[in-house]
Every structure is written in C-alpha cells, then in structure tokens.
Amino acid sequence: MGAGTEPDGSSRSDEEWERFLRESVEGVADSPKEPSARARDVAKRLRAEPGREAEAWRSYAPARPRRRTGWYVGGLLTSLVLLAVALAPERMTDLVTGDEDAGPPASATGADRPTVDEPFRGSPAASWASGAAGISMPRARAVGWMSETEVERALDRSRDFLVRTSLDRAVLRGERPAKAIAQINPHQEDVRDLLGTAFRSPSEDNDPLLLFSRFRPSDSRLVGDVVKTRGGLTYREGERGALQVTADVTFVYPVTRADGGGGEIVRTIVRRELVLNWDDPDKVITEPGTFSIVSYKYDMTNGGCGTPTGYFTPPFGKDREADVTGAEVDPYDRSAPVGQDASSGDECARAARS
C-alpha cells in the first residue's frame, strides 16, 4: 500500500491523516502492489525467465498518464451537494465548524480570495506544512539487502528527489533539473532517453511534467517563497531484495501572471505518486546513490488543458471562463488513489475548493 492507502488500494481520507502520521513514524507501511512497469535491467531478467514476458519500465494511469483537471472556478451550490454525498457525516460537521481541510464556503467572498500576502487564503492548504516539512518520513528499519542506516539514507535521498523535482525554485522556473536526473540509475537508459525527448519536444507521452513541476517564466511566476505540501513516504521489500520506496505527495503552487498584471492568483495543485527501487548492486546493474524509477503518475488541476508544452499553464482571466467537459473534482481530496478521481479521459474537469 502507498502513503495513505488502505488494503484495497484506496487512499486514506483527510480525517485519518493524523493517525497515519503516527503510524508511519512507528513502523513500516506497505507500499502498493508493484505496477506492471519494471526498470530496464529488471525487464532483461524477466525476459530470461520461462513463461514471463517483459514489460515497459514505465507505468501510470494507462488511459491518461497526465491528468489535466481543469480551470480555477468559484464553488457552486452543487459542489456542496457533491461533497455531502462523497464525504462521511463527520466531514459534513467539519464544513459547518470550519475544520482546517473543510475549505471555504461554496460561494467564496472577497475575504476568501488569495492575495499576494496570503496566497493560500480560502484554501485547505492554508493549514498544511510548507515545502519538505509536509513530506512525512517513516522510521527506518533494515529491509532486503539494506541495513537500517542504509534504509534511512535511501529515504532521505528519495525525499531529496521530491524536493529537487517539485520544490526547487530553479526547476519551478523551468530550468533543467540536473541534480534530480543525476539521482536516477544511469543504466536505466529508457528513462534517460525519455527525459531527453521530453525536454526537446514535449508530447503527451514524453512530457517533463510526468516527473517535474515547471512553469514558463514568460507566462507565470510563483507568488511568495512557499509551496504547501501534504503526503509522505512508505517502503517495503521489493523484488530481488530491493528497497522499494513509494511517495504520495500533494503540492500546492500559488502563481500569478508573469507581469503580475491584475494581481490575480491561481493555485496549481499537483498530486504525485512515485515508486522507486533502491536495487541490490549484486543483482541489478546500478550505481551507488542512485535508484531506478518503477512507476509514476499524477493528478493536476489548474495547470492547463491545452497541447503539452512541458510546462504547467495556469489559466488567468477569460481563460477561467472556458468550457469544461469533465466532472467536478476536489484537488485536495486524497481519499482516492492517484489517477482515479472523477475526471477521466481527455476531459478538462472543473476544480472545486481550489
């Protein structure tokens, strides 16, 4: 099971978050069952085993590796009805009493709108931790070929990768994530080929956004120095004794127009699930301090719905009035697995509580 996931594969709801944090530091939570993807070196070994067929190393929501879920919109009365049906009764009480994740009223007033000084105003993320502090870490124990100390080091480096891909200011401004790429097993050539293609010529299947959060400086810029986060790491023993680390983290980026015109602020919300293998060098070709990427997938709202450009493209002004064809989704709701929310296919969904 992944960070915040139940035995049946569904993620824990927000009200169980504190319990999850307590459990995650007291013991090791199981990661999700390994997806169909394998690192290239593992695939080579699978091809050599009778009756087994090697698969591509990448794995994510098959129908839609990239979830472009919609425009920033004020809540509607119908959104409250949808939330009432979807949430447990105690969550309804939270909506009335103002629980930290209940979000603003469905019909936002001026007091709820974000400002340059308070870019998270009116958002559930206002009470979330900032940056790496919002990524919980489990207590390290010996797993597979790694000692307790080695597991602790691998967990720290896994979190470093998340920081370098989704929190590093230079990367968020569109610069190449060289330090993050250096952490990937250099023998996983499929990954490096994909990344090379993605940065040169972004497409639906080869897009830097699959692993990195980036905004084009000429279009938009971050407001302030804070990115809000919620999520964490879990781990288990993977195939061939590998330490398999699963990350499930939501990032909330407040952005405005590049020129700051109008003072309009939009929050781009990205939830990523990433599975990494720290392989036994006696069994898999790797390099010290690097990992293999087993799988990745993400959900995104308020990041643009057009042709892939390799950057998030938050909607401003009249673009926020564009027609949306998908269902309304709550980007702060972590109760469903990544890639299995109400939005699907090529639809550009309406974002609630954003």
Side-chain angles (χ1 to χ4, degrees):
M1 291 178 290
T5 54
E6 299 291 352
D8 63 359
S10 63
S11 295
R12 290 182 174 88
S13 57
D14 280 344
E15 66 268 18
E16 297 179 275
W17 181 251
E18 294 302 327
R19 178 166 63 85
F20 163 67
L21 289 177
R22 290 195 300 271
E23 293 175 348
S24 69
V25 298
E26 294 173 355
V28 179
D30 290 337
S31 300
K33 294 181 179 179
E34 185 175 359
S36 60
R38 298 291 186 272
R40 179 173 181 168
D41 297 314
V42 177
K44 289 180 180 178
R45 287 175 168 76
L46 290 178
R47 281 196 290 270
E49 296 179 17
R52 298 190 67 172
E53 182 177 349
E55 297 171 304
W57 70 269
R58 287 184 292 149
S59 174
Y60 41 82
R64 189 68 164 179
R66 171 144 60 110
R67 308 284 300 208
R68 289 176 287 173
T69 54
W71 310 111
Y72 182 102
V73 290
L76 301 175
L77 179 59
T78 53
S79 69
L80 276 183
V81 177
L82 290 173
L83 288 172
V85 173
L87 303 176
E90 60 270 25
R91 291 295 299 275
M92 285 300 296
T93 301
D94 292 339
L95 289 173
V96 175
T97 60
D99 177 76
E100 65 177 18
D101 277 358
S107 180
T109 65
D112 297 316
R113 297 192 182 97
T115 66
V116 172
D117 293 330
E118 297 182 77
F120 300 99
R121 177 190 288 178
S123 162
S127 61
W128 291 10
S130 302
I135 305 174
S136 68
M137 300 283 281
R139 179 177 299 169
R141 295 180 181 176
V143 170
W145 69 283
M146 283 187 164
S147 66
E148 178 179 316
T149 299
E150 290 170 326
V151 169
E152 183 175 17
R153 184 182 303 117
L155 289 171
D156 287 339
R157 290 177 176 174
S158 297
R159 182 169 60 178
D160 287 344
F161 185 72
L162 293 175
V163 170
R164 289 168 175 170
T165 59
S166 301
L167 292 173
D168 183 275
R169 305 298 290 192
V171 173
L172 294 176
R173 291 194 301 267
E175 295 183 20
R176 189 175 180 85
K179 291 183 179 179
I181 293 175
Q183 290 187 260
I184 302 172
N185 181 0
H187 301 285
Q188 197 175 6
E189 296 177 7
D190 307 55
V191 184
R192 291 187 176 272
D193 291 345
L194 177 138
L195 291 177
T197 301
F199 286 104
R200 289 194 308 269
S201 181
S203 65
E204 194 69 27
D205 295 324
N206 298 302
D207 192 337
L209 297 182
L210 292 168
L211 288 170
F212 310 103
S213 293
R214 312 169 75 228
F215 297 87
R216 181 184 283 122
S218 59
D219 295 336
S220 58
R221 63 178 175 80
L222 290 168
V223 177
D225 299 322
V226 174
V227 173
K228 292 291 187 174
T229 55
R230 169 162 286 189
L233 304 183
T234 57
Y235 65 94
R236 69 178 181 91
E237 182 175 348
E239 290 192 357
R240 295 170 176 79
L243 170 68
Q244 185 169 102
V245 178
T246 296
D248 182 350
V249 182
T250 300
F251 303 87
V252 184
Y253 307 99
V255 291
T256 189
R257 296 177 188 271
D259 60 7
E264 182 181 11
I265 295 174
V266 169
R267 290 181 287 251
T268 297
I269 304 155
V270 183
R271 180 183 172 193
R272 295 188 181 277
E273 181 185 286
L274 183 67
V275 181
L276 311 174
N277 263 10
W278 293 86
D279 296 303
D280 183 346
D282 291 334
K283 299 177 181 178
V284 175
I285 300 175
T286 186
E287 295 296 331
T290 68
F291 53 76
S292 297
I293 297 179
V294 176
S295 69
Y296 54 79
K297 52 188 174 182
Y298 76 90
D299 286 332
M300 174 269 290
T301 57
N302 294 339
C305 295
T307 301
T309 64
Y311 301 93
F312 291 130
T313 55
F316 297 104
K318 64 181 181 180
D319 289 337
R320 293 163 65 177
E321 302 173 4
D323 292 337
V324 290
T325 59
E328 185 171 75
V329 297
D330 184 349
Y332 298 100
D333 183 4
R334 294 173 50 84
S335 65
V338 178
Q340 295 185 23
D341 57 23
S343 175
S344 62
D346 291 329
E347 296 178 335
C348 186
R350 186 182 302 275
R353 296 209 300 165
S354 59

